[in-house]
Amino acid sequence: MPRKRSRARRQLDESSSDDDDLLIFSAAQIVSNFSNAKRRPGGSVPSHRVIYRDREGGHDRMFQDYLADNPTYGPDIFRRRYMMSRELFLRIMNAVEAHDDYFVQKRNAANVLGLSCFQKVTVAMRMLTYGVPADATDEYVRIGESTALESLRRFVAAVVDIFEDEYLRYPNEKDTACLLAMGERKGFPGMLGCIDCMHWAWKNCPYDKQGQYKGHVDKPTIILEAVALDDLWIWHAFFGMPGSHNDINVLHRSPLFANLAEGTAPQVNYTVNGHDYTMGYYLADGIYPSWATLVKSITLPMENKRQYFAKAQEAARKAVERAFGVLQSRFTIVRGPARIWDIETLALIMKACIIMHNMIIEDEGHVDPDERFDNGGENVEPEHGQTTRTLQEFIDAHKRIRDPETHVQLKEDLIEHLWNHHPDLYSF
């Protein structure tokens, strides 16, 4: 018996030794395969070839091209390729990096540096400004397709989270005073802006949603409702309604007049042709309803006064069309067909483009930040001591907003006001 136990122990020791040798060999083989990954095809996904992109070298070249003290491409070329000044770009990039840890450059398990924040933000900006596919930036930025798409999603979400409350918010009292002054200079006292809708084609709309998003054109589209004035600042943006809707349907679902109905909007008081008004209005085209807060043109005007008003209204209303054109020229992604599959990401892309559009306007000196952002915030605070409106007060406010008689009276007063006080403001 003792001899048998000794033989059993000896066999167990030999088996353990073989297992240890096998474990050591396997670990060495794994390390060898990892170190030779740059020279051998194959990766974590079967049949996928691992590409050595030289990310550090790509970052160094990009930094020398645009961000060095003596860059290869100066400020003018930077402005043309990034659609904004280098100072504004750095402000956005630093804010995004501080907001989302995804953009912080890290080392992987092999102690190799990953992509820099500059590379991830640049690939997002190239896709937004040029409208190129995700894999079209790999040759210069040195970033894969899936990482480029992830960087785009994270970037637009960070921009919205950081800057929405400042650059896409309801006007406060100072903002409203500036808007009223701009409207007065155009010959329209009480005007707060111009409203219109824009359709964005959705190329990769899922098949089960295509019927919902097809409207007057035979392809899926998504609608953006916006309000702008001559400085091209977009004060209101409501995006995401299916393309089967028109401007009227979108307006009924839009939060444009929510603050006015709730009693939290700044007070607007003005006099036109001897009549007093307490609600501002927006210039709109003929499809919009005859509300007290909307002023439309005149179809087939017969008298000189009405002809002059129609031309003046149509000329002033072009401000929102110009804002759409500038937005699409700066961010080509919203001009061409959208390739993203989900509506949530498209909404973030549109909102981020509008926010950066407003930031560019401020950076280029068209808007004085000291005048606009005195008490910045997402919502306008109600007057001191004002309580929440009751249901009946809320219903009465909606009725006043939709009052057709006030709409007709306001239009007649504006016709007389333009003819008597601004006869030479518009020359046609």
Side-chain angles (χ1 to χ4, degrees):
M1 291 296 294
R3 184 176 298 177
K4 289 183 180 179
R5 285 199 300 267
S6 177
R7 186 181 298 116
R9 288 195 187 95
R10 189 163 50 251
Q11 290 176 351
L12 180 61
D13 293 340
E14 291 175 356
S15 176
S16 300
S17 177
D18 292 341
D19 291 342
D20 292 342
D21 292 342
L22 179 62
L23 180 61
I24 294 173
F25 175 78
S26 300
Q29 187 66 31
I30 292 173
V31 173
S32 176
N33 291 342
F34 183 81
S35 62
N36 295 329
K38 296 185 294 184
R39 299 184 295 273
R40 296 181 55 190
S44 59
V45 180
S47 75
H48 279 211
R49 180 175 179 271
V50 175
I51 301 176
Y52 175 64
R53 289 185 168 86
D54 187 20
R55 293 170 175 173
E56 292 186 56
H59 168 79
D60 294 339
R61 288 187 292 271
M62 291 174 55
F63 187 87
Q64 175 57 44
D65 285 344
Y66 295 107
L67 299 184
D69 293 335
N70 186 23
T72 305
Y73 304 104
D76 294 339
I77 298 180
F78 187 100
R79 170 66 178 79
R80 187 175 67 187
R81 292 179 179 174
Y82 284 85
M83 297 300 170
M84 62 182 66
S85 66
R86 187 170 70 169
E87 292 72 18
L88 178 58
F89 174 82
L90 290 174
R91 176 191 172 193
I92 295 175
M93 185 178 71
N94 293 333
V96 167
E97 184 178 14
H99 178 79
D100 191 348
D101 185 67
Y102 173 79
F103 291 94
V104 178
Q105 190 175 26
K106 310 177 188 69
R107 293 184 181 273
N108 59 17
N111 202 33
V112 177
L113 273 175
L115 292 163
S116 66
C117 180
F118 184 35
Q119 289 171 295
K120 292 179 180 179
V121 173
T122 294
V123 74
M125 288 299 300
R126 291 293 171 91
M127 295 175 66
L128 294 175
T129 56
Y130 288 95
V132 296
D135 61 347
T137 59
D138 189 13
E139 294 177 343
Y140 179 67
V141 185
R142 303 295 180 179
I143 187 170
E145 178 181 3
S146 59
T147 309
L149 289 171
E150 181 66 16
S151 299
L152 175 65
R153 292 188 176 96
R154 294 290 194 105
F155 176 76
V156 294
V159 168
V160 173
D161 289 343
I162 299 169
F163 298 108
E164 180 180 19
D165 291 350
E166 183 177 0
Y167 290 95
L168 189 58
R169 60 181 177 81
Y170 294 116
N172 58 24
E173 292 185 2
K174 277 196 172 184
D175 300 331
T176 303
C178 293
L179 293 174
L180 292 174
M182 294 175 64
E184 178 66 34
R185 289 194 296 269
K186 300 289 291 185
F188 290 90
M191 182 181 71
L192 295 174
C194 308
I195 184 173
D196 203 356
C197 290
M198 179 188 82
H199 287 256
W200 185 15
W202 190 2
K203 179 179 181 293
N204 287 345
C205 177
Y207 186 78
D208 60 336
K209 295 182 179 179
Q210 289 188 5
Q212 177 184 358
Y213 283 84
K214 284 184 180 179
H216 66 285
V217 294
D218 191 24
K219 57 183 177 181
T221 60
I222 315 171
I223 301 178
L224 166 69
E225 179 192 73
V227 170
L229 249 177
D230 284 350
D231 59 359
L232 304 180
W233 187 283
I234 298 178
W235 284 103
H236 163 76
F238 177 58
F239 177 80
M241 296 300 296
S244 57
H245 291 79
N246 56 26
D247 297 20
I248 302 175
N249 306 127
V250 175
L251 180 66
H252 281 286
R253 292 162 174 80
S254 169
L256 177 62
F257 300 116
N259 281 3
L260 185 59
E262 295 169 1
T264 59
Q267 292 293 322
V268 175
N269 299 290
Y270 61 97
T271 301
V272 183
N273 197 35
H275 293 92
D276 297 328
Y277 296 91
T278 59
M279 292 188 299
Y281 60 87
Y282 300 91
L283 300 185
D285 58 18
I287 193 175
Y288 280 87
S290 299
W291 289 2
T293 51
L294 298 172
V295 172
K296 303 186 292 183
S297 182
I298 300 176
T299 305
L300 299 176
M302 302 302 294
E303 302 175 0
N304 290 337
K305 292 181 181 180
R306 297 180 177 274
Q307 290 178 0
Y308 183 75
F309 170 81
K311 293 180 179 179
Q313 193 272 356
E314 293 165 7
R317 196 186 62 82
K318 293 300 180 183
V320 66
E321 302 286 353
R322 290 178 55 234
F324 286 150
V326 173
L327 177 68
Q328 291 177 332
S329 65
R330 284 175 173 162
F331 301 99
T332 308
I333 192 172
V334 301
R335 182 175 62 194
R339 301 184 182 92
I340 305 297
W341 293 92
D342 58 292
I343 186 67
E344 293 79 12
T345 302
L346 292 177
L348 289 174
I349 289 174
M350 177 62 75
K351 190 174 290 187
C353 290
I354 293 174
I355 290 171
M356 290 188 289
H357 165 84
N358 289 344
M359 296 177 74
I360 294 170
I361 292 175
E362 180 193 69
D363 183 64
E364 293 180 348
H366 297 297
V367 177
D368 186 355
D370 294 332
E371 293 183 0
R372 275 201 327 103
F373 302 130
D374 181 40
N375 298 311
E378 181 180 2
N379 297 315
V380 179
E381 295 295 333
E383 292 183 357
H384 180 70
Q386 183 176 0
T387 58
T388 304
R389 282 185 168 176
T390 63
L391 177 61
Q392 187 59 45
E393 291 173 339
F394 186 80
I395 294 174
D396 293 341
H398 269 281
K399 289 181 178 179
R400 289 194 298 271
I401 292 172
R402 291 166 167 77
D403 186 12
E405 296 181 1
T406 304
H407 170 84
V408 173
Q409 183 63 54
L410 176 60
K411 182 183 290 188
E412 293 295 330
D413 290 337
L414 288 173
I415 292 173
E416 295 294 332
H417 176 81
L418 277 169
W419 185 258
N420 296 326
H421 297 87
H422 303 279
D424 302 322
L425 187 60
Y426 296 92
S427 58
F428 306 99

